[in-house]
Amino acid sequence: MKAGVILVLGFLSFALVVPPSSASDDRRQKWWKWPSTGKSICSSVVLPLYGNVYPQGYYYAQINIGHPPRPYFVDPDTGSDLTWLQCDAPCVHCTQAPHPYYRPNNDLVPCKDPLCASLHSGDHRCDDPGQCDYEVEYADGGSSLGVLINDVSLLNLTTGVRITPRLAIGCGYDQIPGPSYQPLDGVLGLGKGKTGIVSQLHSQGLIRNVVGHCFSSRGGGFLFFGDDVYDASRVISTPMSRDYRKHYSPGYGEVIYGGKATGLKNLLVIFDSGSSYTYLSSEAYEGLLYLITKELSGKPIREAVDDETLPFCWKGRKPFRSIKDVRKYFKPLALSFSTGWRSKTQFEIPLEGYLLISSRGSVCLGVLNGTEVGLQNFNIIGDISMQDKMVIYDNEKQTIGWIPANCDRPPRSDTIIF
């Protein structure tokens, strides 16, 4: 396996919350409790994003939790619901983090709470009625074990109003890092489930049930909760799948290369902001690689076997400095989704959305083999392919939409307190 495997996997983190098991019983801890308040307002929340796809390998946001509020850096992950922080409860197993571990209060979410039930499939057992245990597992094999806590989150609305809603978050006191582990304080769950941060804010009447992000190819960007930060008339959208409801999925798609159909179709696609790179199932990946290799045949560019940044890199006669230097060698990609009878929508992926320039001056393919990392039936649109677009997950209209955008400046940034 190449030395760059941690970078290659990035944040491959769409998640499955698993019910309590006997194997994890001895990792659980006991807790205690107090009450909460809230207030209603309709607006949006915008959070700055930091980081990049390369060379850092991930984007992250800052959230402020607790009383007094303390900052935490978290992975904004549309592939999972639960927001959790590494927690000094005390911590049994925690990883390196940029801030001191979260110190929990005593306001526990009880086992019979609907939020707790939504984390577990079927009839979950309550070993301790006073607390809600959770265990979440990620696609790369990493996991977090902990308990749900209610705590205050400090948020600034685009109207300029500051709010402090109480939200249920995970106090993760036992983490097993996967190969795509990054040194952050936790995960910001942006998925569709009831425990998702956006669902909780919506249930309190604070925002519409809409979440989106804008990753800049130059690094940074912004994340938003609510629907008043974009022009809905400009959004290109496709319905969320009715057959696959767990994640943000438009259903089945087809790869388009250079504006032409490739025959690489019937691919179940998930939009996952927790994955740095885009992943195709083995057959589609090999098919795309074949098309790219064929396109490069006879051109002054060859495989850079000595560059281990990503599995496939190519070099020219002299080092490439930007994607502009390789435009004559590669063609744009797209994924085509059916939006109705004989109607299709294309998610366009320009060269910057699937290629990157390595530190060695090679151009590398940012689409990876998902089958090799355990994604048997899924194809992931990751951060690299969503750069320089505002991507919008509208849980009220049940659509996924996108608009080409300048992600360097957050909307209404004069009202955002950093």
Side-chain angles (χ1 to χ4, degrees), residues 50-65:
Y50 310 93
N52 51 56
V53 171
Y54 181 83
Q56 194 161 351
Y58 59 95
Y59 290 93
Y60 64 95
Q62 177 181 312
I63 58 173
N64 299 287
I65 301 289

Side-chain angles (χ1 to χ4, degrees), residues 281-339:
S281 60
S282 187
E283 185 178 349
Y285 173 76
E286 296 293 345
L288 176 62
L289 196 56
Y290 169 78
L291 291 172
I292 292 173
T293 304
K294 183 179 177 183
E295 186 69 25
L296 297 178
S297 179
K299 295 179 179 176
I301 184 170
R302 66 186 189 279
E303 188 177 349
V305 292
D306 56 340
D307 191 332
E308 297 186 338
T309 301
L310 289 170
F312 276 92
C313 297
W314 297 270
K315 59 185 177 182
R317 289 171 179 157
K318 59 182 181 179
F320 300 121
R321 291 175 296 177
S322 74
I323 294 295
K324 290 180 182 178
D325 295 339
V326 300
R327 290 199 184 281
K328 55 190 173 185
Y329 303 131
F330 295 88
K331 293 181 177 179
L333 281 174
L335 281 164
S336 175
F337 306 108
S338 294
T339 55

Side-chain angles (χ1 to χ4, degrees), residues 234-239 250 252-262 264 269 271 332-340 342-350 381 385 389-391 400-404:
R234 295 178 53 231
V235 177
I236 301 167
S237 63
T238 189
Y252 292 87
E254 178 180 5
V255 175
I256 307 296
Y257 184 64
K260 297 180 181 178
T262 62
L264 305 173
V269 172
F271 282 71
L333 281 174
L335 281 164
S336 175
F337 306 108
S338 294
T339 55
R342 290 191 174 180
S343 176
K344 292 189 174 182
T345 300
Q346 282 197 8
F347 181 82
E348 296 179 355
I349 304 174
I381 296 179
S385 300
K389 291 182 178 69
M390 196 181 288
V391 179
I400 301 171
W402 50 88
I403 318 169

Side-chain angles (χ1 to χ4, degrees), residues 152-380:
V152 173
S153 175
L154 178 64
L155 297 169
N156 299 294
L157 297 174
T158 49
T159 55
V161 175
R162 175 172 285 187
I163 57 172
T164 53
R166 293 190 81 80
L167 301 171
I169 63 171
C171 164
Y173 54 75
D174 195 348
Q175 275 65 249
I176 298 175
S180 62
Y181 148 76
Q182 301 290 355
L184 293 172
D185 296 306
V187 169
L188 182 62
L190 304 175
K192 302 166 73 173
K194 290 182 180 178
T195 54
I197 206 86
V198 179
S199 296
Q200 291 191 58
L201 291 171
H202 173 66
S203 70
Q204 295 182 34
L206 298 171
I207 60 167
R208 292 196 176 276
N209 197 352
V210 177
V211 60
H213 50 71
C214 203
F215 299 125
S216 173
S217 58
R218 289 164 291 281
F222 59 91
L223 178 69
F224 58 93
F225 312 148
D227 69 343
D228 71 343
V229 298
Y230 58 88
D231 181 355
S233 67
R234 295 178 53 231
V235 177
I236 301 167
S237 63
T238 189
M240 292 184 191
S241 172
R242 295 180 180 178
D243 299 320
Y244 187 77
R245 297 176 180 270
K246 184 170 179 56
H247 297 103
Y248 293 119
S249 171
Y252 292 87
E254 178 180 5
V255 175
I256 307 296
Y257 184 64
K260 297 180 181 178
T262 62
L264 305 173
K265 54 187 178 181
N266 297 322
L267 305 174
L268 180 57
V269 172
I270 293 170
F271 282 71
D272 182 12
S273 67
S275 297
S276 300
Y277 296 101
T278 291
Y279 292 81
L280 295 179
S281 60
S282 187
E283 185 178 349
Y285 173 76
E286 296 293 345
L288 176 62
L289 196 56
Y290 169 78
L291 291 172
I292 292 173
T293 304
K294 183 179 177 183
E295 186 69 25
L296 297 178
S297 179
K299 295 179 179 176
I301 184 170
R302 66 186 189 279
E303 188 177 349
V305 292
D306 56 340
D307 191 332
E308 297 186 338
T309 301
L310 289 170
F312 276 92
C313 297
W314 297 270
K315 59 185 177 182
R317 289 171 179 157
K318 59 182 181 179
F320 300 121
R321 291 175 296 177
S322 74
I323 294 295
K324 290 180 182 178
D325 295 339
V326 300
R327 290 199 184 281
K328 55 190 173 185
Y329 303 131
F330 295 88
K331 293 181 177 179
L333 281 174
L335 281 164
S336 175
F337 306 108
S338 294
T339 55
W341 190 68
R342 290 191 174 180
S343 176
K344 292 189 174 182
T345 300
Q346 282 197 8
F347 181 82
E348 296 179 355
I349 304 174
L351 268 58
E352 293 85 352
Y354 76 96
L355 299 170
L356 60 83
I357 304 300
S358 76
S359 60
R360 303 186 66 168
S362 305
V363 57
C364 300
L365 180 64
V367 179
L368 308 177
N369 189 330
T371 305
E372 288 185 352
V373 294
L375 298 174
Q376 301 298 334
N377 302 310
F378 304 106
N379 300 269
I380 303 293

Side-chain angles (χ1 to χ4, degrees), residues 36-49:
S36 76
T37 61
K39 156 183 180 180
S40 256
I41 218 166
C42 265
S43 187
S44 292
V45 174
V46 179
L47 299 176
L49 290 172

